């Protein structure tokens, strides 16, 4: 009898490590393979970055509350976000879709309308893809390409002790948006006559359904001559991303709870779900903000920039990654992002 290992024994990150452990590169141009937000290819006078992300019906989106146009927009935005996380500018995307016959031509037109809107917003060209059928539901896979000056590339691995930890925008809103959509779905399932109550929740719903990649932050950093020492986008939750930076940069981190940027609507709504706002910020996913570290000497420059918040600093490896509360209490940060194969 052959051995069989269940996917649930692995989890997403361990599975990726396992499957990619024997990869060997033969191209001299391959500068960075698996392990960052995008692969990095040496194109002589600049680096090219390549990344791919898949959205699967029932796993990443629920057709009962996801507008198709938003879904198309999001599928491009999440890939552009990974390009931005390398400090690169996106240039091209390809789009592959698998569709069941549950979808009409009109439905797919809406998906593409959203995709093209995003392509226009981020200045990228849609240059190809693949179309196939699926037995169950819709799958969208996007690959994005970008470019960056060699001296401006940022990896997850460059953070140094005493660097300042920064995050763009605000955190936790997408998670609250998802909770509201799930709550209204349950209510509707129990009584289809009740209309969903989504009023007053525009901000958090949009953050979940139609996130923006922070290409504007990449431009702002460039305009102000700031090259982060490390960077990652916040897709799985701030805590998980801090741990990625610490692992790849071999460092610890102190993040100050009171410094976490949290929108007032998130602070207000989190109580309805019996959650601390900071827990939404640390463990909620899908914010698609940028988490990065800068040298202390860049503090004055960053401090004047809107929508960039200094939330902590890099520490010695022995200190691990900790969330520091106002009274000085510290708790270690644990990854609690999405776990597709968890038990
Ligand atoms: P992100 O959240 O930034 O999209 P992931 O956590 O999905 O990154 O992936 C982490 C790294 O592992 C990336 O460098 C990605 O390219 C790589 N990766 C993920 N899945 C696979 C796979 N099946 N085969 C090869 N590389 C993979
Ligand atoms: Mg990423």
């Amino acid at each position: 009898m052959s051995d069989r290992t269940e996917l649930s024994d692995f989890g997403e990150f361990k599975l990726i490590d396992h499957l990619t452990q024997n990869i060997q590169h033969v191209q001299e141009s391959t500068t960075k393979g698996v392990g960052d937000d995008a692969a990095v290819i040496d194109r002589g006078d600049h680096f090219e970055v390549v990344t791919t992300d898949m959205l699967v019906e029932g796993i990443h989106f629920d057709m009962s509350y996801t507008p198709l146009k938003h879904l198309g927009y999001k599928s491009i935005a999440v890939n552009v976000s990974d390009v931005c996380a390398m400090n690169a500018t996106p240039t091209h995307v390809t789009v592959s879709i698998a569709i069941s016959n549950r979808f009409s031509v009109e439905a797919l037109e809406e998906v593409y309308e959203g995709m093209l809107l995003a392509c226009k917003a981020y200045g990228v060209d849609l240059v190809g893809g693949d179309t196939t059928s699926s037995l169950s539901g819709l799958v969208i896979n996007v690959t994005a390409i970008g470019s960056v000056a060699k001296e401006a590339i940022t990896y997850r691995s460059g953070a140094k002790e005493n660097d300042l930890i920064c995050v763009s925008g605000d955190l936790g809103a997408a998670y609250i948006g998802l909770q509201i959509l799930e709550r209204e779905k349950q209510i509707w399932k129990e009584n289809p006559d009740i209309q969903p109550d989504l009023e007053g929740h525009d901000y958090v719903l949009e953050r979940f359904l139609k996130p923006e990649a922070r290409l504007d932050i990449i431009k702002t950093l460039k305009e102000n001559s700031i090259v982060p020492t490390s960077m990652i986008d916040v897709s799985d939750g701030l805590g998980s991303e801090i741990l990625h930076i610490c692992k790849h940069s071999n460092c610890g981190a102190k993040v100050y709870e009171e410094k976490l940027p949290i929108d007032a609507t998130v602070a207000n709504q989190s109580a309805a779900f019996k959650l601390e706002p900071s827990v939404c910020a640390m463990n909620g996913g899908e914010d698609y903000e940028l988490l990065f570290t800068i040298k202390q000497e860049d503090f004055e420059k960053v401090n004047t920039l809107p929508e960039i918040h200094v939330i902590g600093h890099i520490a010695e490896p022995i200190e691990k990654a900790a969330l520091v509360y106002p009274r000085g209490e510290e708790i270690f940060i644990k990854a609690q992002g999405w776990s597709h194969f968890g038990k």
Side-chain angles (χ1 to χ4, degrees):
M1 216 169 70
S2 64
D3 286 345
R4 179 189 154 95
T5 309
E6 299 301 331
L7 290 172
S8 56
D9 293 337
F10 268 56
E12 182 182 351
F13 299 130
K14 195 174 160 198
L15 180 67
I16 296 172
D17 285 348
H18 184 72
L19 296 176
T20 58
Q21 63 187 345
N22 296 325
I23 291 176
Q24 285 178 345
H25 299 142
V26 296
Q27 296 288 338
E28 219 173 287
S29 57
T30 307
T31 305
K32 174 77 196 172
V34 171
D36 218 299
D37 292 282
V40 179
I41 302 168
D42 191 333
R43 294 298 183 207
D45 62 342
H46 70 282
F47 283 138
E48 190 166 80
V49 303
V50 186
T51 181
T52 192
D53 246 316
M54 187 143 58
L55 296 181
V56 179
E57 182 180 348
I59 303 285
H60 300 100
F61 60 92
D62 184 324
M63 284 306 305
S64 60
Y65 55 68
T66 307
L68 289 168
K69 195 169 160 185
H70 286 0
L71 180 62
Y73 195 97
K74 182 169 180 173
S75 68
I76 302 294
V78 301
N79 279 276
V80 168
S81 179
D82 274 323
V83 169
C84 291
M86 307 306 290
N87 208 22
T89 303
T91 54
H92 303 84
V93 290
T94 61
V95 171
S96 299
I97 51 172
I99 25 177
S100 73
N101 55 15
R102 227 172 1 96
F103 290 85
S104 65
V105 172
E106 288 74 18
L108 295 171
E109 280 172 0
E110 274 184 57
V111 175
Y112 267 73
E113 213 181 304
M115 284 180 176
L116 294 184
L117 204 62
C119 286
K120 195 168 167 206
Y122 300 119
V124 304
D125 290 341
L126 201 167
V127 292
D130 194 21
T131 306
T132 182
S133 49
S134 142
L135 291 180
S136 62
L138 176 62
V139 179
I140 303 177
N141 180 244
V142 174
T143 297
I145 297 175
S147 68
V148 54
K150 284 187 169 176
E151 60 278 11
I153 187 88
T154 58
Y155 296 104
R156 295 176 178 181
S157 57
K160 295 273 181 309
E161 208 183 325
N162 297 324
D163 282 356
L164 301 172
I165 302 173
C166 306
V167 72
S168 63
D170 61 78
L171 301 168
Y175 184 73
I176 290 295
L178 173 61
Q179 300 313 307
I180 290 171
L181 289 167
E182 286 287 338
R183 179 183 67 194
E184 296 306 315
K185 183 185 171 182
Q186 288 312 322
I187 293 171
W188 183 81
K189 266 166 75 177
E190 280 157 31
N191 188 346
D193 294 332
I194 298 180
Q195 284 299 306
D197 177 17
L198 301 175
E199 231 181 83
H201 301 312
D202 291 5
Y203 180 64
V204 291
L205 294 176
E206 181 154 321
R207 290 285 284 165
F208 177 72
L209 293 171
K210 188 178 165 287
E212 291 289 356
R214 297 311 304 259
L215 185 54
D216 59 328
I217 297 287
I218 298 304
K219 287 184 183 152
T220 302
L221 291 173
K222 195 173 175 184
E223 280 160 16
N224 289 275
S225 309
I226 300 163
V227 177
T229 53
S230 70
M231 186 147 59
I232 185 169
D233 70 329
V234 182
S235 54
D236 292 341
L238 184 70
S240 174
E241 317 305 356
I242 298 255
L243 290 175
H244 281 309
I245 297 257
C246 288
K247 182 182 161 200
H248 289 267
S249 298
N250 187 30
C251 63
K254 298 232 187 263
V255 173
Y256 295 90
E257 196 253 5
E258 62 192 332
K259 302 277 187 201
L260 295 175
I262 295 169
D263 189 81
T265 51
V266 174
N268 293 335
Q269 282 299 313
S270 54
F273 299 99
K274 299 193 171 58
L275 291 165
E276 289 289 324
S278 63
V279 172
C280 299
M282 292 299 289
N283 299 336
E286 309 223 36
D287 295 308
Y288 297 102
E289 295 295 342
L290 291 171
L291 171 70
F292 55 96
T293 54
I294 56 163
K295 294 197 193 97
Q296 286 214 355
E297 64 208 51
D298 283 332
F299 173 73
E300 295 299 333
K301 279 195 234 168
V302 158
N303 203 26
T304 61
L305 301 176
E307 293 216 57
I308 297 181
H309 314 278
V310 177
I311 58 167
H313 60 85
I314 296 295
E316 286 181 67
I318 195 164
E319 303 204 60
K320 299 193 180 154
L323 183 65
V324 185
Y325 283 85
R327 280 179 299 170
E329 186 198 350
E330 295 190 9
I331 57 158
F332 289 125
I333 295 170
K334 290 198 203 91
Q336 288 181 1
W338 311 124
S339 176
H340 298 193
F341 309 111
K343 281 178 178 157

